[in-house]
Amino acid sequence: MEKKLFYELDKNKQEIKSFFGNSADYFQKDINICGHKAVIIMCEALISIENLWDISLHPLNNLKSNLSPEEVYEHITKHTTIPFNSSPAETFENVLFLLTAGFTLILIDGVDKAIVVATQGYPSRSISEPQSEGSLRGTRESFCDVGRQNMALVRRRVRSKGLIIETMQLGTSTKTEISIYYHNKFCNTENVEKIKKRLKNIKLPIITETGMLTPFVDTTKGSVFSAVSYTEKPDVFAAKLCEGKIGIIVDGCPFALIYPFMFNEHFSTNDDYSQRPYFVSILKSLRYAAFIISIILPGLYITFANFSPESLPEKLIFFIFSSKDSTPLPLFIEAIVIVITLEIIKEAGLRLPQAIGHTVSFVAALIIGDSAINAGLIGSAILIVCSISTIMSFVVPSFYESTIILRIIFLCLSGIFGGVGFAFAVIFLILNITNVNAAGKSYIYQITKENNLFDIFFKSSWRTINRKRN
């Protein structure tokens, strides 16, 4: 049971002081209100001193005298312009959370409740352009690191009644604020209750980002795919809420979690809604093709080159075998080395500072790759195949992790067992896609739904969509 505040001011001050010890940012100031002892408590780095004085301390100087402590509390909360929370802090656990969230607390001797004043002024990254989701015509705003500011970004875009934002604290040590978004007109409330129950059962000491919640939100096991997706764009997030999705934002993380996210939704982008239908249909078909090619191309190449070369055109066979005979490694081992090397180069370019990262990519592509081919260490044909496969995987970035794993599986099974191994890899891919449980529905529910196949692979015009809505 949470420990409640005392009526004695000195006991409250001593208890709260024990939470912070000798921390440099903890600040408390003894004051006198209408002849009664009081104290102002704050975390100095999280509040704005100007706001504290202008909207909080100045009105206290104009209070009437000869009031009891309870009357002083009632007068401050009901007859002043101080922007306080409607719910006071009544427990020490709540006091700790509010102080670390940037609020200022006023405690009066003889009152077992603290007045919570909104004086937040902590430093934060401003709203900027999204870094991982490019858009030609969409909004240039992205989520920031402050959860409360992200609420405003979403609320400004969904102004209809029914948008619900609930908060909870997770992480036994960090007490991180988690915001759950849903629209009760479109969302299944049973799914919301299940998600909240799963989140409440999390006993991790530290919660710092949205990805740490994914295993608890999506309970699918034994699949490289997930019914969870992420976005840093508030317009995408708002649109998904209006489609009945559940959104989760972690304070301190600019990426929002969306659940459930179906398989076909990964192949749509925000620009699809602002371009011509026929052009979007072509692009969506290309995305599906790129996803398949990025997974199967190296394995398919190994299958034909090692086990069924007679199935290929004569000129292509000559090119493949001349490339194979000029290198010391078997084709299968060569492909594995190239795939792993490409991932290492990508990881090095990602983790290093931006200027150095570009240099690493340039050196790896032009110097190491060209030199390895000229020295006869690797064949040009297999390098081209693996490079095309890697580039194709960037077309659908939300599936990038899955495509890496599946590409290696296809490559290994095809290199060891040939066509039979490739067939087993295809079955493995299908099982992984169909095994995902997206809030009680199949991952490919929208694809298999009757009369919906056209809408999945092609885009109708807005006039057609508007006519159907009417």
Side-chain angles (χ1 to χ4, degrees), residues 9-10 13 28-41 60 72 76 105-110 115:
L9 181 63
D10 291 336
K13 290 167 56 178
Q28 67 179 33
K29 172 68 175 177
D30 293 320
I31 61 174
N32 190 291
I33 304 177
C34 298
H36 303 287
K37 292 192 300 182
V39 66
I40 295 176
I41 302 177
L60 295 180
V72 171
I76 293 175
L105 302 185
I106 302 175
L107 291 90
I108 303 172
D109 190 27
I115 300 173

Side-chain angles (χ1 to χ4, degrees), residues 18-29:
S18 67
F19 294 153
F20 296 91
N22 295 321
S23 297
D25 63 335
Y26 176 76
F27 177 82
Q28 67 179 33
K29 172 68 175 177

Side-chain angles (χ1 to χ4, degrees), residues 308-460:
S308 303
E310 67 279 357
S311 304
L312 299 174
E314 184 176 344
K315 291 184 178 181
L316 184 58
I317 294 175
F318 176 78
F319 175 70
I320 291 174
F321 274 88
S322 63
S323 178
K324 284 176 58 179
D325 294 339
S326 62
T327 57
L329 296 175
L331 188 60
F332 169 57
I333 302 299
E334 195 176 342
I336 292 291
V337 171
I338 293 174
V339 169
I340 294 176
T341 302
L342 288 173
E343 293 305 318
I344 292 174
I345 294 171
K346 192 265 311 179
E347 189 70 13
L350 178 65
R351 303 302 171 191
L352 285 170
Q354 189 172 7
I356 304 176
H358 291 321
T359 304
V360 169
S361 302
F362 179 79
V363 170
L366 294 184
I367 299 178
I368 298 178
D370 184 64
S371 300
I373 292 175
N374 293 333
L377 296 177
I378 59 174
S380 57
I382 188 62
L383 179 61
I384 293 172
V385 168
C386 293
S387 299
I388 291 175
S389 178
T390 301
I391 293 172
M392 292 286 187
S393 63
F394 295 131
V395 176
V396 188
S398 56
F399 274 151
Y400 183 75
E401 297 174 358
S402 303
T403 55
I404 294 174
I405 298 173
L406 290 170
R407 186 186 308 141
I408 295 176
I409 290 174
F410 268 82
L411 190 56
C412 293
L413 291 178
S414 301
I416 298 173
F417 302 107
V420 176
F422 184 85
F424 273 108
V426 172
I427 296 173
F428 178 81
L429 172 61
I430 296 173
L431 291 177
N432 268 262
I433 295 175
T434 56
N435 189 44
V436 178
N437 179 8
K441 294 183 180 180
S442 171
Y443 197 36
I444 54 174
Y445 165 76
Q446 292 179 334
I447 296 178
T448 58
K449 191 167 65 171
E450 186 179 0
N451 298 326
N452 200 47
L453 194 61
F454 178 85
D455 294 331
I456 295 301
F457 294 97
F458 304 97
K459 180 181 179 295
S460 301

Side-chain angles (χ1 to χ4, degrees), residues 195-269:
I195 294 299
K196 290 195 291 186
K197 183 178 180 180
R198 294 172 190 171
L199 294 178
K200 289 178 181 178
N201 291 331
I202 297 177
K203 303 302 179 183
L204 296 177
I206 299 172
I207 299 292
T208 57
E209 59 175 322
T210 314
M212 301 176 70
L213 305 179
T214 302
F216 303 95
V217 175
D218 181 20
T219 57
T220 300
K221 297 180 180 180
S223 177
V224 299
F225 296 99
S226 173
V228 166
S229 185
Y230 306 92
T231 183
E232 60 174 334
K233 301 188 66 174
D235 57 331
V236 174
F237 188 76
K240 293 303 177 182
L241 293 179
C242 293
E243 293 177 7
K245 313 291 184 182
I246 302 170
I248 299 176
I249 295 180
V250 175
D251 186 31
C253 179
F255 288 89
L257 181 150
I258 302 172
Y259 177 84
F261 210 80
M262 299 300 182
F263 177 78
N264 61 286
E265 292 181 280
H266 290 274
F267 297 91
S268 297
T269 67

Side-chain angles (χ1 to χ4, degrees), residues 134-138 233 236 240 264-285 287-288 395 455-462 465:
S135 177
L136 294 176
R137 303 179 186 176
K233 301 188 66 174
V236 174
K240 293 303 177 182
N264 61 286
E265 292 181 280
H266 290 274
F267 297 91
S268 297
T269 67
N270 202 41
D271 284 331
D272 292 348
Y273 300 97
S274 59
Q275 295 174 328
R276 293 282 186 176
Y278 57 82
F279 183 67
V280 174
S281 301
I282 294 173
L283 291 181
K284 291 182 72 172
S285 301
R287 292 184 197 122
Y288 279 100
V395 176
D455 294 331
I456 295 301
F457 294 97
F458 304 97
K459 180 181 179 295
S460 301
S461 67
W462 284 116
I465 295 174

Side-chain angles (χ1 to χ4, degrees), residues 71-265:
E71 290 173 335
V72 171
Y73 175 85
E74 292 293 324
H75 185 81
I76 293 175
T77 56
K78 294 183 179 180
H79 302 289
T80 66
T81 58
I82 299 176
F84 60 89
N85 278 18
S86 57
S87 300
E90 299 183 3
T91 65
F92 286 105
E93 287 77 5
N94 196 20
V95 164
L96 178 61
F97 172 76
L98 291 168
L99 286 175
T100 54
F103 292 90
T104 297
L105 302 185
I106 302 175
L107 291 90
I108 303 172
D109 190 27
V111 180
D112 63 342
K113 294 176 286 188
I115 300 173
V116 183
V117 186
T119 55
Q120 295 97 324
Y122 41 77
S124 62
R125 182 175 65 92
S126 61
I127 298 171
S128 58
E129 291 192 22
Q131 300 297 315
S132 61
E133 296 177 75
S135 177
L136 294 176
R137 303 179 186 176
T139 178
R140 292 295 187 265
E141 289 183 334
S142 67
F143 285 123
C144 62
D145 298 322
V146 182
R148 295 284 170 165
Q149 292 186 20
N150 293 333
M151 288 184 185
L153 292 174
V154 178
R155 180 69 71 177
R156 183 162 60 88
R157 287 168 169 82
V158 185
R159 301 184 181 183
S160 60
K161 63 178 182 180
L163 176 62
I164 308 297
I165 305 175
E166 300 183 19
T167 62
M168 63 175 65
Q169 287 76 51
L170 296 181
T172 56
S173 298
T174 58
K175 297 293 183 181
T176 307
E177 184 177 70
I178 311 296
S179 303
I180 303 173
Y181 296 71
Y182 62 95
H183 201 298
N184 60 13
K185 180 180 178 181
F186 309 109
C187 183
N188 187 339
T189 54
E190 292 183 4
N191 291 334
V192 177
E193 294 302 321
K194 290 179 181 178
I195 294 299
K196 290 195 291 186
K197 183 178 180 180
R198 294 172 190 171
L199 294 178
K200 289 178 181 178
N201 291 331
I202 297 177
K203 303 302 179 183
L204 296 177
I206 299 172
I207 299 292
T208 57
E209 59 175 322
T210 314
M212 301 176 70
L213 305 179
T214 302
F216 303 95
V217 175
D218 181 20
T219 57
T220 300
K221 297 180 180 180
S223 177
V224 299
F225 296 99
S226 173
V228 166
S229 185
Y230 306 92
T231 183
E232 60 174 334
K233 301 188 66 174
D235 57 331
V236 174
F237 188 76
K240 293 303 177 182
L241 293 179
C242 293
E243 293 177 7
K245 313 291 184 182
I246 302 170
I248 299 176
I249 295 180
V250 175
D251 186 31
C253 179
F255 288 89
L257 181 150
I258 302 172
Y259 177 84
F261 210 80
M262 299 300 182
F263 177 78
N264 61 286
E265 292 181 280

